[in-house]
Amino acid sequence: MNGRERRYPPPEQFRGPVVARRGQVERSTTDQRLLDTRSPSGFVHGDPWRVLRIQSEFVEGFGLLAELPRAVTVFGSARIGPDDPIYAQGRRLGAALAEAGFAVITGGGPGTMEAVNRGAQEAGGLSVGLGIELPFEQRLNDWVDLGVSFRYFFVRKTMFVKYAEAFVILPGGVGTLDELFEALTLVQTGKVTRFPVVLIGSQYWSGLVEWLRSTVLSAGLIKESDLHILSVTDDVDEAVRIIVQGTVGHAEPPRSEAREP
């Protein structure tokens, strides 16, 4: 070791399929450089070439996930520790979904995502993680069986939806709320149909649901039927029952054999 103490694990960053560590970790992300209007003007001429990188991410994601069995995407906080009751609940959820015949898809990170991946793997199910390039250290958790890291959030979001038949949302922060409302928008606008969206944790979610009803609905900005998109429960088994009942008739041939219209 030449008298130097090795830091383990070293700082690590995923940039698409590339893993960067120690001095190679960048402070900005691909998304940030794409969206930053203050970038040098030379990037204007480079933007068309970025389309090829975006295309490659779609191709890689579609290729990796095309053979997935029926799957459910689960969202939740990365900040939940292993001793938190929510972690235990996520672990039970992953196992219950696996036992019901579903693969689980998460963001592949720590916290709730790790718990769900872990539960699914321990129950003999397929555990999938879709990571994202971030300016701070994050890696795919050790319970991911099949994983890929993306540079662009919008590509990753497409994969969350395309290869899932339902969403389950555990308590989480800004990212989880973003994913929740994107799911609601897709169902409300008919971009996806017969797509159960289940919130686990009535105490955590009750304030948000009540605000939607008392403020947004009262203002006429949504319909009563929009609230019916959501199911709220504290029971993992009930969440799985809602998903199973809501996806009846979704069975299909392997995705590689499915024909495009």
Side-chain angles (χ1 to χ4, degrees):
M1 299 296 290
N2 297 324
R4 292 189 302 173
E5 182 179 351
R6 181 182 177 186
R7 180 185 173 189
Y8 186 83
E12 184 175 75
Q13 181 186 52
F14 287 86
R15 300 200 294 268
V18 175
V19 178
R21 291 177 175 158
R22 290 179 285 274
Q24 299 303 309
V25 173
E26 296 180 352
R27 294 186 179 274
S28 64
T29 67
T30 307
D31 264 332
Q32 181 182 352
R33 293 190 293 273
L34 171 66
L35 299 174
D36 192 349
T37 57
R38 298 168 298 176
S39 296
S41 60
F43 280 96
V44 174
H45 306 291
D47 279 347
W49 293 102
R50 284 193 170 111
V51 173
L52 296 178
R53 175 177 282 181
I54 293 168
Q55 178 183 0
S56 73
E57 288 219 334
F58 276 113
V59 170
E60 186 169 1
F62 290 157
L64 179 71
L65 303 175
E67 302 296 330
L68 280 188
R70 303 178 69 191
V72 173
T73 293
V74 184
F75 298 116
S77 175
R79 303 184 182 189
I80 298 297
D83 296 329
D84 194 298
I86 296 174
Y87 186 99
Q89 191 173 45
R91 192 171 168 185
R92 291 197 303 274
L93 174 65
L97 288 169
E99 290 164 0
F102 294 99
V104 300
I105 303 173
T106 78
T112 304
M113 295 173 280
E114 175 186 295
V116 174
N117 287 133
R118 179 177 180 178
Q121 188 187 99
E122 290 175 333
L126 179 58
S127 172
V128 180
L130 308 182
I132 185 68
E133 175 188 304
L134 295 172
F136 47 85
E137 181 177 345
Q138 184 166 314
R139 58 185 292 274
L140 293 177
N141 67 68
D142 293 335
W143 302 95
V144 169
D145 297 318
L146 185 66
V148 61
S149 291
F150 295 95
R151 295 181 177 92
Y152 298 102
F153 265 112
F154 57 87
V155 178
R156 181 185 186 229
K157 284 183 174 182
T158 300
M159 303 303 158
F160 279 140
V161 177
K162 178 172 174 58
Y163 294 101
E165 296 185 12
F167 281 167
V168 180
I169 298 93
L170 290 154
V174 172
T176 302
L177 292 171
D178 172 53
E179 290 149 347
L180 165 60
F181 279 100
E182 180 164 25
L184 293 179
T185 301
L186 291 171
V187 178
Q188 182 200 49
T189 57
K191 296 297 184 182
V192 294
T193 57
R194 293 173 59 86
F195 201 94
V197 180
V198 184
L199 304 178
I200 294 184
S202 59
Q203 183 176 359
Y204 186 86
W205 295 111
S206 60
L208 174 63
V209 175
E210 177 56 30
W211 175 77
L212 289 172
R213 180 176 298 279
S214 63
T215 301
V216 186
L217 178 62
S218 294
L221 303 181
I222 60 174
K223 299 177 180 179
E224 177 72 32
S225 59
D226 294 332
L227 293 175
H228 297 165
I229 298 170
L230 289 170
S231 299
V232 184
T233 182
D234 293 305
D235 189 296
V236 166
D237 292 332
E238 182 182 1
V240 174
R241 282 196 299 272
I242 292 169
I243 292 168
V244 170
Q245 293 169 4
T247 57
V248 171
H250 277 207
E252 58 184 33
R255 295 184 185 274
S256 61
E257 298 175 12
R259 297 175 61 184
E260 293 292 335

